[in-house]
Amino acid sequence: MDKSPSGTGWYLEGSVDGVASPTRFRLKDFPIRIGRRASVDIMLLGSEVSSLHAEIFERDERLWVRDMGSMNGTRLNQELLTDAAPLSDGDILHFANLEFVLERIGAAAPRPTAMLAPRSGRLVQGARSQAVTLRQMIDSARVQVVFQPIVQLSDGTRFAFEVLGRGAHGGLPQSPGPLFEIAQAAGLAAPLSALFRQAGAAAAVGLAGAPSIFFNIHPSEMVQPGFLASLEAMGEQHPSLSVVLEVHETTVTDPRSMRELRAALTALGIGLAFDDFGAGQSRLLELAESPPDYLKFDIHLVRNIHNAPASRQSMVENLVNIVRNMGVYCLAEGIECQQELDTCVQMGFEFGQGYLLGRPQPVRAWQSAGA
């Protein structure tokens, strides 16, 4: 199979013990046996690796891998092997807890070395491994969504729900923060953002009372050519949904672009909210030139507001009055105790969100609660 010029062909790259620098193994003279004993072709020193752990072989002019009855298993792109599986360029192989990357090197310069990091007792998660796993998660739509209520403070009724995405792949974090860090590095933040919205829209149809649904939008998705078309398609698929898009306040730096976005959303019947107001370099000028429908005050402005100095309380109350005079609804994020709630009501906030008012839960919990 390896009839290519010198230096080209198939390579397996990784650390033989999870600590040393990565080593690149040329794959030829198949089958290639991998394990801990000295007689194998690629000897690994990890304590969790079996004596004869796995084998790479040729079949139908392709490379294949199979586990050889190892104690701790062989994984291909995070999936535990139960039978022989074909291999492709860029695949990630784990022999127990040791990570390797399969590469097809051609006449051009080889691709960058994989980032490998040992982790005792668990699978190694290199940058490329995470990217491959994240792409699998997105392609298979292995995500979950939960709904946190947004409450009208005047009477305590549930006015809306914010959709919060969660990962549902065992090889990746569940929390959206770490997930988006991986997605940003892998260039997958836009499709992940879109997937969370699609999953949330499908689940939200089951909520009683047709509440508004707030969706977070990653900034990278907003510049995608098909972004507005995807929103239009969502509206056609779920015409009963009342949708509000949340844009982080740090992206509100170009009033012209925000006006264009606002006009496009209005044409689609979609509301606009600025999220985390006060977390960054918030400027009232941009807010006045392209006001949203809702302004969500950051949790750091709301937390312990009842115990805050009078100067801070006065500042927040003045901001609420200014924003309300613009015709924008004010929403306090992160309300966790009754004193915070009472103070926010006194300051003029119309809406609130936080653990005191309702924790994020799957849609079925709100259906049974008569949301």
Side-chain angles (χ1 to χ4, degrees):
M1 183 174 181
D2 189 6
K3 299 178 181 180
S4 53
S6 176
T8 65
W10 289 98
Y11 289 81
L12 194 65
E13 184 175 291
S15 173
V16 297
D17 60 1
V19 177
S21 298
T23 300
R24 176 173 284 171
F25 298 93
R26 177 82 174 271
L27 302 184
K28 57 181 181 178
D29 301 327
F30 299 95
I32 293 174
R33 294 190 168 189
I34 301 165
R36 201 172 68 242
R37 69 190 187 199
S39 60
V40 298
D41 302 290
I42 297 178
M43 183 180 176
L44 305 181
L45 305 179
S47 60
E48 298 182 24
V49 177
S50 297
S51 296
L52 178 58
H53 197 100
E55 181 181 71
I56 296 177
F57 62 98
E58 293 178 286
R59 178 192 293 173
D60 301 328
E61 298 186 350
R62 290 196 65 175
L63 290 189
W64 293 66
V65 63
R66 60 183 161 219
D67 187 78
M68 301 297 286
S70 68
M71 180 68 70
N72 293 306
T74 300
R75 287 173 169 79
L76 172 60
N77 298 327
Q78 300 294 350
E79 297 295 329
L80 185 67
L81 291 179
T82 57
D83 200 355
L87 293 170
S88 300
D89 183 27
D91 280 345
I92 307 297
L93 286 163
H94 283 93
F95 307 108
N97 65 329
L98 299 184
E99 179 183 86
F100 284 78
V101 180
L102 181 72
E103 292 188 298
R104 174 68 174 176
I105 305 299
R111 292 185 297 182
T113 298
M115 295 173 60
L116 301 169
R119 294 187 182 176
S120 176
R122 55 187 297 191
L123 291 179
V124 178
Q125 284 288 311
R128 189 178 297 171
S129 174
Q130 290 179 325
V132 169
T133 306
L134 181 61
R135 169 52 70 185
Q136 290 179 334
M137 188 189 81
I138 293 172
D139 289 345
S140 59
R142 292 170 67 176
V143 297
Q144 299 173 339
V145 289
V146 291
F147 292 77
Q148 185 171 30
I150 295 172
V151 172
Q152 187 163 314
L153 298 186
S154 61
D155 58 10
T157 59
R158 295 187 196 118
F159 159 76
F161 286 90
E162 180 180 354
V163 174
L164 303 170
R166 301 285 186 267
H169 192 296
L172 290 170
Q174 185 183 47
S175 175
L179 269 180
F180 272 107
E181 288 182 7
I182 298 170
Q184 187 73 28
L188 296 172
L192 179 61
S193 176
L195 177 58
F196 281 148
R197 185 172 65 256
Q198 292 161 9
V205 173
L207 289 169
S212 294
I213 306 297
F214 284 58
F215 293 100
N216 288 283
I217 301 299
H218 192 274
S220 64
E221 190 185 1
M222 295 170 58
V223 298
Q224 297 299 310
F227 173 58
L228 292 177
S230 72
L231 297 178
E232 184 175 10
M234 180 181 68
E236 293 173 351
Q237 186 176 5
H238 307 292
S240 64
L241 285 186
S242 173
V243 173
V244 178
L245 294 191
E246 292 190 23
V247 178
H248 194 274
E249 64 96 21
T250 56
T251 67
V252 188
T253 57
D254 183 356
R256 178 179 177 181
S257 296
M258 294 310 302
R259 285 195 297 269
E260 292 174 352
L261 175 64
R262 176 63 188 268
L265 294 181
T266 300
L268 294 172
I270 295 175
L272 178 64
F274 291 167
D275 194 15
D276 296 332
F277 179 75
Q281 296 182 353
S282 308
R283 297 202 301 177
L284 291 175
L285 177 61
E286 283 86 350
L287 185 65
E289 292 189 3
S290 53
D293 297 295
Y294 304 91
L295 187 67
K296 302 183 74 173
F297 281 63
D298 184 69
I299 186 174
H300 293 98
L301 288 178
V302 175
R303 181 175 292 160
N304 293 319
I305 188 64
H306 57 290
N307 290 326
S311 58
R312 177 180 156 194
Q313 292 185 357
S314 177
M315 178 197 70
V316 173
E317 186 170 5
N318 286 336
L319 285 172
V320 169
N321 290 331
I322 291 171
V323 172
R324 290 187 62 174
N325 286 336
M326 295 179 188
V328 178
Y329 292 110
C330 294
L331 189 155
E333 292 189 286
I335 297 175
E336 297 187 356
C337 68
Q338 188 63 44
Q339 294 94 325
E340 290 173 348
L341 174 60
D342 294 340
T343 304
C344 287
V345 171
Q346 293 170 7
M347 289 180 169
F349 281 96
E350 290 114 320
F351 301 103
Q353 185 177 359
Y355 283 1
L356 177 69
L357 305 174
R359 291 175 177 267
Q361 297 186 76
V363 68
R364 62 180 177 274
W366 298 115
Q367 289 170 331
S368 62

